[in-house]
């Protein structure tokens, strides 16, 4: 229960950031950078009486109904919550804190900040094994009927939406929207990697027993031991390997500094760790 509550809290934070990025930066400048939000921006241009949030909510409900009929019920509760929650949150922002013009006059700044804020939010949502629906569903429907890979289907659906933006708002807006789709992918990937990054630490030291004890008892982490031999001296030594968080690495580094200044430490970033003590295998 605690894990589920934590996941939904993070998803709520994520969709709030996505809603802010879309409503306050992309919508006022007509930057339809893919997704259901982009399609809603295009439709809103022809039907101004229909708010973007309401259009997104309606389209997501329709897409979920079509998906259940065509694809089956393989969409989790978290995806349904985040998808409909995002639409509802944008609708609330339109009602409670409406905006009538862009935050700044610079179209590129509007695009960059909109994509950055919404991309961070999407990264947080994806990191909780959920998605904001929309083009994910469209991509699966395209895959079902035309047998195009999911990745290519996603790119195709986003490209068609940015093409619609170009035809509706002009080629300049269309090109900016397409640029936004590309940047958005990079932002999401880097946010997910940044949230999951750990340190894989390899240690060779004459004080290996003390270091093992510190890692196990003080940091609460496991250690793998390899038998090693120096090529130059031929001396046999234990090689310790552990995976720890960034904060734990700082503590370990300071401990080794005080204990053995001649220790050899090799550190590399690990972007995802599954198993006991880290992300559970589900």
């Amino acid at each position: 229960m605690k894990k589920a509550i934590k996941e939904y809290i993070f998803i709520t934070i994520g969709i709030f950031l996505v809603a802010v990025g879309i409503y306050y930066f992309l919508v006022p400048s007509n930057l339809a950078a893919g997704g259901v939000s982009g399609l809603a921006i295009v439709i809103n241009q022809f039907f101004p009486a229909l708010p973007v949030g309401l259009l997104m909510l309606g389209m997501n409900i329709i897409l979920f109904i079509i998906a259940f009929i065509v694809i089956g019920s393989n969409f989790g509760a978290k995806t349904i919550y985040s998808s409909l929650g995002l639409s509802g949150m944008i609708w609330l922002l339109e009602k409670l804190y409406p905006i009538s013009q862009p935050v700044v006059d610079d179209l590129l700044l509007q695009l960059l900040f909109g994509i950055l804020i919404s991309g961070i939010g999407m990264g947080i949502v994806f990191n909780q094994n959920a998605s904001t629906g929309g083009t994910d569903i469209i991509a699966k429907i395209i895959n079902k009927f035309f047998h195009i890979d999911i990745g290519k289907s996603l790119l195709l659906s986003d490209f068609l939406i940015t093409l619609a933006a170009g035809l509706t708002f002009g080629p300049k807006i269309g090109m900016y929207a397409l640029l936004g789709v590309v940047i958005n992918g990079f932002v999401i990937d880097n946010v997910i990697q940044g949230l999951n990054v750990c340190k894989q630490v390899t240690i060779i030291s004459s004080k290996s027993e003390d270091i093992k004890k510190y890692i196990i008892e003080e940091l609460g982490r496991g250690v793998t031991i390899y038998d090693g031999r120096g090529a130059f001296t031929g001396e046999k030594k234990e090689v310790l390997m552990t995976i720890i968080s960034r904060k734990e690495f700082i503590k370990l580094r300071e401990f080794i500094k005080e204990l053995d200044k001649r220790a050899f430490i090799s550190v590399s970033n690990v972007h995802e760790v599954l198993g006991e003590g880290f992300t559970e295998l589900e």
Side-chain angles (χ1 to χ4, degrees):
M1 180 61 73
K2 282 184 179 179
K3 183 187 174 188
I5 291 170
K6 182 182 175 183
E7 286 176 347
Y8 277 95
I9 288 171
F10 275 110
I11 290 171
T12 303
I13 293 169
I15 60 175
F16 173 74
L17 289 174
V18 178
V20 168
I22 291 172
Y23 180 63
Y24 290 109
F25 293 93
L26 301 184
V27 171
S29 298
N30 296 320
L31 292 165
V36 166
S37 61
L39 188 56
I41 291 170
V42 173
I43 295 172
N44 175 258
Q45 177 69 14
F46 298 101
F47 303 98
L50 294 174
V52 171
L54 183 60
L55 284 167
M56 286 179 64
L57 186 62
M59 284 189 287
N60 274 318
I61 290 171
I62 292 167
L63 283 171
F64 273 118
I65 292 170
I66 294 170
F68 276 118
I69 295 169
V70 175
I71 302 168
S73 57
N74 60 341
F75 292 93
K78 289 187 287 187
T79 293
I80 294 172
Y81 170 79
S82 57
S83 178
L84 300 182
L86 172 60
S87 309
M89 207 166 280
I90 291 176
W91 191 16
L92 279 174
L93 289 176
E94 288 173 326
K95 295 292 182 185
L96 300 177
Y97 304 102
I99 186 170
S100 57
Q101 58 184 15
V103 177
V104 293
D105 294 330
D106 193 318
L107 194 61
L108 182 59
L109 279 177
Q110 287 281 122
L111 174 71
L112 292 177
F113 274 89
I115 292 297
L116 181 64
I117 295 168
S118 61
I120 290 170
M122 285 183 188
I124 293 170
V125 172
F126 291 159
N127 200 51
Q128 301 305 313
N129 195 29
S131 85
T132 52
T135 43
D136 293 352
I137 299 171
I138 295 171
K140 291 195 179 196
I141 293 170
I142 292 172
N143 172 258
K144 174 83 173 179
F145 288 103
F146 300 100
H147 307 290
I148 300 172
D149 293 341
I150 293 289
K152 291 177 182 176
S153 300
L154 273 169
L155 188 62
L156 176 62
S157 60
D158 282 336
F159 175 75
L160 290 173
I161 291 167
T162 54
L163 179 63
L167 293 172
T168 305
F169 304 112
K172 182 180 178 181
I173 295 290
M175 285 189 285
Y176 269 114
L178 186 58
L179 178 64
V181 171
V182 175
I183 296 172
N184 192 50
F186 283 106
V187 172
I188 291 170
D189 287 344
N190 281 282
V191 169
I192 292 171
Q193 289 181 0
L195 289 171
N196 292 328
V197 73
C198 292
K199 301 289 184 182
Q200 180 174 299
V201 187
T202 303
I203 308 155
I204 302 173
S205 170
S206 58
K207 306 284 188 179
S208 60
E209 285 298 324
D210 294 323
I211 295 170
K212 276 188 289 186
K213 186 177 179 181
Y214 181 81
I215 294 170
I216 294 167
E217 295 181 4
E218 297 297 325
L219 300 181
R221 295 296 185 185
V223 185
T224 300
I225 303 169
Y226 300 98
D227 291 324
R229 185 165 60 89
F232 183 72
T233 63
E235 184 183 354
K236 290 184 178 181
K237 285 189 177 180
E238 286 186 338
V239 180
L240 309 181
M241 192 279 286
T242 185
I243 297 177
I244 53 181
S245 69
R246 284 173 286 191
K247 287 182 180 178
E248 289 166 341
F249 168 67
I250 293 169
K251 292 179 183 177
L252 178 60
R253 184 183 62 191
E254 294 306 309
F255 175 78
I256 296 172
K257 271 186 186 179
E258 295 296 323
L259 183 70
D260 181 11
K261 294 189 182 296
R262 293 177 61 84
F264 179 83
I265 306 171
S266 172
V267 185
S268 58
N269 286 331
V270 178
H271 293 293
E272 189 166 16
V273 184
L274 304 175
E276 188 176 350
F278 295 92
T279 303
E280 292 181 13
L281 286 166
E282 296 177 342

